[in-house]
Amino acid sequence: SRWNGYPAFAVAAGTRSSLSLPVAARSHTAGALNLYSPKVDGFAEADLGGLRALAAQATGAIALAQRLSDARTFTTDLHAALQSRAVIDQAAGIVMNQRRGTPEEALQTLRSASQHRNVKLRDLCAQLVGSVSG
């Protein structure tokens, strides 16, 4: 009853034994390397070491792919933050020039305007810079 109709399906497909090894344990991804054999007890004890090594290699490949993806996401986010910061600094300079205030006062003015208009700070700053620079 635990596997419902799976055992009958597996036998009908010619599967007499299976082996599942965890892949990507302790990572963002969970999975298994599932192996099937047409023989009863199709996986000998001698096979297990090599199969576990294969699962470990798959885990390493998945972990590397995740790190590469995380690094790409971080780089993209950092680039966007730097671009946003540049336009915010430009807008603060404009406000400082217009109001003869400090950088902190200019940023507070921009934050306040952003909140009152319900517009993201970077978007408000981009509009201000665009309106001044044409």
Side-chain angles (χ1 to χ4, degrees):
S1 65
R2 178 179 180 190
W3 301 103
N4 295 324
Y6 177 72
F9 174 80
V11 168
T15 300
R16 298 296 183 264
S17 60
S18 66
L19 175 67
S20 295
L21 298 168
V23 173
R26 299 176 302 278
S27 72
H28 301 303
T29 303
L33 175 62
N34 298 311
L35 304 164
Y36 305 94
S37 174
K39 300 176 187 175
V40 174
D41 295 325
F43 301 98
E45 197 64 36
D47 297 332
L48 292 180
L51 294 172
R52 286 186 179 116
L54 178 62
Q57 290 294 321
T59 295
I62 290 169
L64 178 59
Q66 286 175 334
R67 283 196 301 268
L68 289 171
S69 176
D70 291 347
R72 183 177 298 131
T73 299
F74 177 77
T75 301
T76 301
D77 291 349
L78 182 59
H79 183 40
L82 289 172
Q83 286 182 325
S84 294
R85 188 67 212 178
V87 76
I88 291 169
D89 287 343
Q90 292 169 6
I94 293 167
V95 172
M96 286 169 52
N97 183 52
Q98 290 175 344
R99 298 197 173 193
R100 305 284 183 226
T102 67
E104 293 79 20
E105 292 169 339
L107 284 173
Q108 184 53 43
T109 298
L110 291 168
R111 282 189 199 105
S112 179
S114 169
Q115 289 174 352
H116 283 87
R117 295 180 187 179
N118 197 25
V119 175
K120 290 184 178 182
L121 180 61
R122 69 174 179 267
D123 295 339
L124 177 80
C125 292
Q127 290 171 359
L128 176 59
V129 170
S131 69
V132 170
S133 66

